Amino acid sequence: MPARSDQSPGLLESLFAVVLMLGLFALPALAWWPLVFIFAAVIAVGTLIGWRHDKREAERRRGESICNFARSFDCRVIDPWVVRAVYEEFSESYPIRAEDSFRDDLRTDEEDLEDSIEAIAQRIGRSLDNTEANLVWGRVENVTVGDLVLFLNAQPKLGAYRARGLSLSQRTAKLFP
């Protein structure tokens, strides 16, 4: 399985983005500086609450690993690559569990979840075509990490060349040099 590309911004990049955003809002709103101050305070408090939540959750889950996560599934039926890729994608701040909700526990919105699903599917060589035919699709209201593993496991595998990300012309070049 290809390595996961680390695209998450660090603390320094996040702070730079917040300062830049506040600077952009501050220029036209010099006359309305109290609103800019309140907006900055709300962003800062929200960021601190998120960091505190992640730290508390990491402390609660100390000692857990991918092994605990994998035991939640029957690995004779579920592809271990799916389990590993999902775990690696979402366990940046603290170890995840199969019963974790994306909305409530991991605080992941739909757009970020869709981007992560596409990245995982490409990494493990699963197709996202015809997802409506998947029995897990649309069955759950509050999607959990376990539901995502079952969904991706039910998706069909791609061919060896397509799983590596080769285009049609690259595949035919390998067949007809």
Side-chain angles (χ1 to χ4, degrees):
M1 174 173 21
R4 179 180 174 271
S5 63
D6 190 21
Q7 299 173 350
S8 61
L11 177 62
L12 189 60
E13 291 88 3
S14 298
L15 288 175
F16 178 73
V18 168
V19 169
L20 180 67
M21 185 174 62
L22 291 176
L24 291 175
F25 280 116
L27 288 177
L30 287 177
W32 296 89
W33 66 268
L35 291 177
V36 173
F37 177 75
I38 291 170
F39 183 68
V42 168
I43 288 176
V45 168
T47 303
L48 290 174
I49 288 172
W51 285 340
R52 233 176 113 196
H53 171 269
D54 289 349
K55 186 177 177 183
R56 216 175 314 126
E57 205 57 42
E59 187 64 33
R60 261 189 247 148
R61 297 180 184 199
R62 181 184 302 170
E64 291 184 23
S65 67
I66 191 170
C67 299
N68 301 88
F69 182 68
R71 284 188 206 110
S72 303
F73 306 99
D74 182 3
C75 284
R76 291 171 292 203
V77 177
I78 305 293
D79 184 358
W81 277 28
V82 173
V83 174
R84 178 180 166 196
V86 169
Y87 184 85
E88 288 177 353
E89 183 73 22
F90 296 105
S91 64
E92 290 177 4
S93 301
Y94 50 86
I96 60 171
R97 297 175 179 158
E99 63 271 7
D100 284 345
S101 163
F102 284 108
R103 182 180 49 194
D104 300 332
D105 299 322
L106 301 178
R107 299 180 324 271
T108 305
D109 65 357
E110 287 184 32
E111 290 178 12
D112 290 339
L113 181 58
E114 288 175 8
D115 293 342
S116 295
I117 290 172
E118 289 175 10
I120 293 170
Q122 182 179 12
R123 185 172 170 217
I124 61 176
R126 297 286 176 146
S127 170
L128 289 179
D129 297 335
N130 200 16
T131 55
E132 292 81 16
N134 189 324
L135 297 176
V136 182
W137 180 264
R139 186 178 66 169
V140 287
E141 193 170 301
N142 191 7
V143 180
T144 64
V145 176
D147 295 330
L148 178 61
V149 170
L150 296 176
F151 168 76
L152 288 170
N153 190 66
Q155 287 298 111
K157 292 181 181 180
L158 295 172
Y161 290 112
R162 224 171 134 194
R164 289 189 203 122
L166 297 177
S167 67
L168 182 60
S169 61
Q170 291 169 323
R171 283 183 269 161
T172 54
K174 289 197 176 279
L175 293 175
F176 306 105

